[in-house]
Amino acid sequence: NVQKTANAVIIGGGMIGCSLAYELALRGMKDIVVVEKEYLCSGATGRCGAGVRQQWGTETNAILARDSVKRFEQMNEELEYDMDIEFKQGGYLIVAYTEGEWTQFHKNVAVQKSLDIPVEMVTPEGAREIVPHLNIDGLFGATFCQTDGHANPFHVVDAYAKAARRLGVVFETYTEVTGIVAENGKVKTVETTRGNIDAPLVINAANYAAGKVCKMVDFDLPLYPQRHQALVTEPVEPTQGPMVISFSRRLYCQQTPHGSFIMGVGDPHEPKDFNINSSWDFLEDVSRQVLSVLPLLKNLRVVRQWSGLYDMSPDANPILDEVPDVQGMWVLAGFSGHGFMVGPQTSVLVAQKIMGEKCFMPIEKFGLDRFRRGELLLEPSVV
Ligand code: FAD
């Protein structure tokens, strides 16, 4: 059975739960328990593209991503990892096939440059120099940032979990949270399939299930789950090329260091649902979209497809806040498909707030109150 009391219970053993456990323990919090219903990294983190880009349209996402890149660069050393998180900065090329996108990219680049993100606007020919097999018919231009890249999500979570364990954090896997008891406006007990834990601080890092967890204290989180599918191809000779993204074609595609291509498309008709079955429609859709951008991939064979869930927030920015009227109950969710890349600094920000330190950026921007006030941080650049 699980221990009966703790200072903090973190629900969810993905990128967010594990990095937050580390950041809290690093700042001196003792007696932290992470409760995960399956194994670490079994949720969206282990199913994600693991791309890391700083090219965002909102300052909030851009700052979290920019500062997280600095953390990924140092992560092996900082976390004293015995393997390699495989952070490779091959860049991101974001292509504009519509005039609307191109106009938006000018605005995005202004935001990024004001934050010293090393991004450049490139002509269609310039884009083709970066990705020689890119289709530039009808291309208005592209933006490119060389320090964007990707990492191995299993190793990143493993690195955080091992570092957290060394600082005393306990991980309870195959343990599901089934209820949360609040009393007199304060969180009190976390009920799990392996016993109850009393704790004054409970952190909901359950991603697509964050809404269900908040329901346990009668709070409606404005989030919904949405399936996103991906596939991997057979490996071919590696080119060290960048991640290619097209928002109008809903596509991201990247070659891994060993030569396989990983790609996915967003489906605007995907229902709000917990379904993670793979579909044939996806294979047809992604093939069509990727060949319109990277025609050279035509005869590549698909090795495997899978899917995972995004936790969609109304403005594609995360919610980092204490639940109203339930003191001690925090939520870190609503990452809307980019929680891996912003995870490192999101956890720093929340740990600073919880431990009463000065926050490196105003955490209030990510508050739940923004929806009531109608002051959304609308992110224009999501796949
Ligand atoms: P998760 O990794 O989902 O962790 C939450 C955990 O909570 C799960 O392990 C789950 O088992 C556990 N849990 C749920 N309910 C309970 C309960 N009741 N009790 C106990 N445990 C519970 N992000 C990027 O930054 N870059 C990308 O390129 C990218 N590509 C993506 C591609 C796909 C196909 C998908 C699906 C997502 C992608 N994302 C990407 C998004 C990214 O995966 C997530 O934003 C990020 O992993 C969120 O981390 P997390 O720790 O919040 O969630």
Side-chain angles (χ1 to χ4, degrees):
N1 269 12
V2 291
Q3 63 192 65
K4 291 200 162 42
T5 62
N7 281 329
V9 174
I10 297 176
I11 305 169
M15 176 68 177
I16 300 300
C18 293
S19 57
L20 183 67
Y22 168 75
E23 297 296 347
L24 285 172
L26 186 69
R27 286 167 175 74
M29 184 176 284
K30 303 270 181 264
D31 212 5
I32 301 170
V33 181
V34 177
V35 181
E36 163 56 53
K37 74 178 161 71
E38 290 180 44
Y39 52 91
L40 298 185
C41 213
S42 59
T45 308
R47 296 164 176 268
C48 82
V52 177
R53 73 166 143 122
Q54 302 155 91
Q55 298 181 66
W56 290 98
T58 49
E59 212 180 72
T60 38
N61 277 328
I63 293 174
L64 287 177
R66 178 199 64 188
D67 293 356
S68 291
V69 162
K70 298 200 176 80
R71 302 291 304 290
F72 281 115
E73 286 171 344
Q74 308 293 329
M75 200 167 278
N76 285 324
E77 295 77 27
E78 188 197 330
L79 300 181
E80 296 177 31
Y81 192 40
D82 55 353
M83 295 199 280
D84 179 7
I85 64 152
E86 296 169 10
F87 185 50
K88 302 279 184 299
Q89 288 170 291
Y92 260 63
L93 185 76
I94 308 190
V95 292
Y97 285 109
T98 68
E99 203 168 347
E101 279 180 292
W102 194 226
T103 307
Q104 182 63 49
F105 286 10
H106 282 82
K107 294 181 195 162
N108 292 2
V109 165
V111 171
Q112 293 152 17
K113 281 199 185 286
S114 76
L115 299 170
D116 291 328
I117 293 169
V119 60
E120 49 180 313
M121 300 198 84
V122 290
T123 59
E125 293 70 28
R128 179 116 91 182
E129 273 173 36
I130 298 167
V131 177
H133 48 280
L134 182 73
N135 173 21
I136 60 168
D137 284 351
L139 192 70
F140 283 79
T143 65
F144 181 67
C145 176
Q146 182 66 64
T147 55
D148 290 349
H150 66 99
N152 180 323
F154 295 97
H155 286 194
V156 170
V157 166
D158 186 43
Y160 271 118
K162 281 178 176 158
R165 237 181 237 123
R166 286 197 300 272
L167 294 168
V169 174
V170 170
F171 289 84
E172 297 288 2
T173 51
Y174 298 99
T175 307
E176 185 171 356
V177 171
T178 50
I180 299 172
V181 180
E183 227 174 64
N184 304 324
K186 289 184 183 164
V187 76
K188 184 170 172 279
T189 305
V190 176
E191 299 171 343
T192 85
T193 45
R194 294 179 49 239
N196 296 350
I197 312 174
D198 284 341
L201 180 64
V202 175
I203 296 155
N204 176 357
N207 187 25
Y208 51 87
K212 284 185 182 172
V213 170
C214 274
K215 267 273 180 221
M216 295 173 185
V217 290
D218 282 333
F219 181 72
D220 282 321
L221 203 56
L223 292 185
Y224 62 91
Q226 189 184 62
R227 175 177 68 169
H228 277 254
Q229 305 193 57
L231 66 77
V232 62
T233 69
E234 61 185 338
V236 287
E237 195 182 331
T239 58
Q240 309 287 329
M243 172 84 91
V244 177
I245 290 195
S246 163
F247 297 117
S248 56
R249 310 223 166 143
R250 307 174 275 113
L251 174 81
Y252 64 92
C253 178
Q254 164 126 61
Q255 195 177 26
T256 64
H258 81 281
S260 298
F261 282 85
I262 291 185
M263 65 190 78
V265 283
D267 178 355
H269 306 297
E270 193 66 54
K272 301 176 178 177
D273 197 89
F274 289 96
N275 170 25
I276 53 162
N277 292 336
S278 292
S279 79
W280 182 258
D281 288 352
F282 164 73
L283 286 179
E284 289 188 350
D285 190 19
V286 74
S287 306
R288 218 175 286 121
Q289 300 302 333
V290 78
L291 294 187
S292 77
V293 177
L294 301 164
L296 197 73
L297 302 194
K298 189 161 193 269
N299 291 318
L300 269 189
R301 272 172 290 222
V302 174
V303 170
R304 192 164 63 86
Q305 74 181 107
W306 69 93
S307 74
L309 295 168
Y310 279 19
D311 49 344
M312 299 299 296
S313 85
D315 58 4
N317 261 275
I319 295 168
L320 315 174
D321 205 351
E322 203 170 13
V323 172
D325 305 325
V326 190
Q327 203 186 319
M329 173 91 193
W330 273 79
V331 52
L332 281 74
F335 291 95
S336 309
H338 47 278
F340 178 72
M341 67 182 84
V342 299
Q345 281 305 99
T346 301
S347 290
V348 167
L349 184 61
V350 174
Q352 286 174 335
K353 177 72 185 174
I354 288 175
M355 298 304 281
E357 291 178 9
K358 188 175 176 324
C359 292
F360 74 87
M361 71 186 288
I363 195 169
E364 294 71 26
K365 286 183 189 256
F366 300 99
L368 277 159
D369 210 27
R370 72 183 191 265
F371 304 115
R372 192 182 52 76
R373 291 197 315 265
E375 289 171 13
L376 274 64
L377 305 165
L378 277 174
E379 173 56 62
S381 298
V382 280
V383 178

